[in-house]
Amino acid sequence: MNKFVILFLLLLCFFETMSQRYKRLRAGFGLGVTKGFIAYFEPSVRITDKISIGYRSEGGTFFLSSTETYPMSSQGGVIQYYFPFEDARFFVGLGCASYRCSPSNYTKADDPSFGFFPRAGFDTGHFTFCVDYNSINDFEVLKYPPHSFPTTETNDRSYLSLRFGLVIGGGEKR
């Protein structure tokens, strides 16, 4: 019985993807603005014309002050739902990721932290625009400021990002 259900679901997905109006494979890449600057790469596969599943990888530099910065990176999965319009395709989505984004003077600088990100945006032609809110688990850290005593504080690493990029693939079939 389980084999029959799995075979049925695979055939359903196969025929659903064959009848798509849009190309199945899509890759987006670009830059973003947040507490600093980020670059991202996001390949995805369209399950149907309205749903895509992808992988997001990003990295960048955040600013703590005018003189102090720290690196940030994340990798994770994302699912998007598209609302088709005439010239643009608006979407909403949700993803989860593993983040590394602590300043180097924190004790847990290399510990990854789990988070999720709701998003909204649009694709038009080969251009994409997206707004993500990356909600990352907070934790208490022991900070070692230069020329001072260590202090304990809660580090809020959540951030809002605006992304601008280009898309290869994923457009209408001709």
Side-chain angles (χ1 to χ4, degrees):
M1 182 67 177
N2 279 343
K3 290 179 185 180
F4 178 76
V5 172
I6 291 172
L7 180 62
F8 176 76
L9 291 175
L10 287 174
L11 286 173
L12 181 66
C13 289
F14 174 76
F15 288 115
E16 183 67 23
T17 58
M18 294 301 289
S19 65
Q20 286 186 346
R21 183 176 155 196
Y22 294 92
K23 295 177 184 173
R24 281 188 278 172
L25 300 177
R26 174 187 179 275
F29 59 93
L31 300 172
V33 179
T34 181
K35 295 178 181 179
F37 298 101
I38 56 174
Y40 72 93
F41 175 66
E42 190 172 303
S44 63
V45 175
R46 292 190 195 280
I47 303 302
T48 68
D49 281 344
K50 293 184 178 183
I51 298 173
S52 73
I53 296 175
Y55 172 79
R56 182 186 80 172
S57 178
E58 72 177 0
T61 301
F62 284 6
F63 296 103
L64 282 175
S65 66
S66 60
T67 59
E68 189 177 3
T69 63
Y70 63 94
M72 184 283 308
S73 67
S74 74
Q75 291 81 32
V78 63
I79 185 166
Q80 292 183 170
Y81 181 83
Y82 287 86
F83 302 97
F85 289 97
E86 211 167 298
D87 293 335
R89 298 193 70 207
F90 292 89
F91 60 85
V92 294
L94 183 65
C96 59
S98 173
Y99 295 85
R100 291 180 184 262
C101 56
S102 290
S104 60
N105 59 351
Y106 283 80
T107 57
K108 296 185 177 182
D110 291 330
D111 287 352
S113 187
F114 178 78
F116 69 95
F117 54 95
R119 62 170 30 179
F122 67 91
D123 293 345
T124 179
H126 290 285
F127 174 77
T128 185
F129 172 77
C130 183
V131 177
D132 290 352
Y133 181 74
N134 296 271
S135 178
I136 306 169
N137 293 337
D138 298 338
F139 62 86
E140 288 188 0
V141 294
L142 188 61
K143 185 176 180 182
Y144 292 95
H147 312 295
S148 183
F149 293 105
T151 59
T152 302
E153 61 183 52
T154 300
N155 185 4
D156 179 18
R157 296 177 293 172
S158 299
Y159 60 95
L160 179 74
S161 63
L162 303 174
R163 302 164 183 276
F164 307 91
L166 298 176
V167 175
I168 298 173
E172 286 190 68
K173 291 182 179 178
R174 298 179 194 248

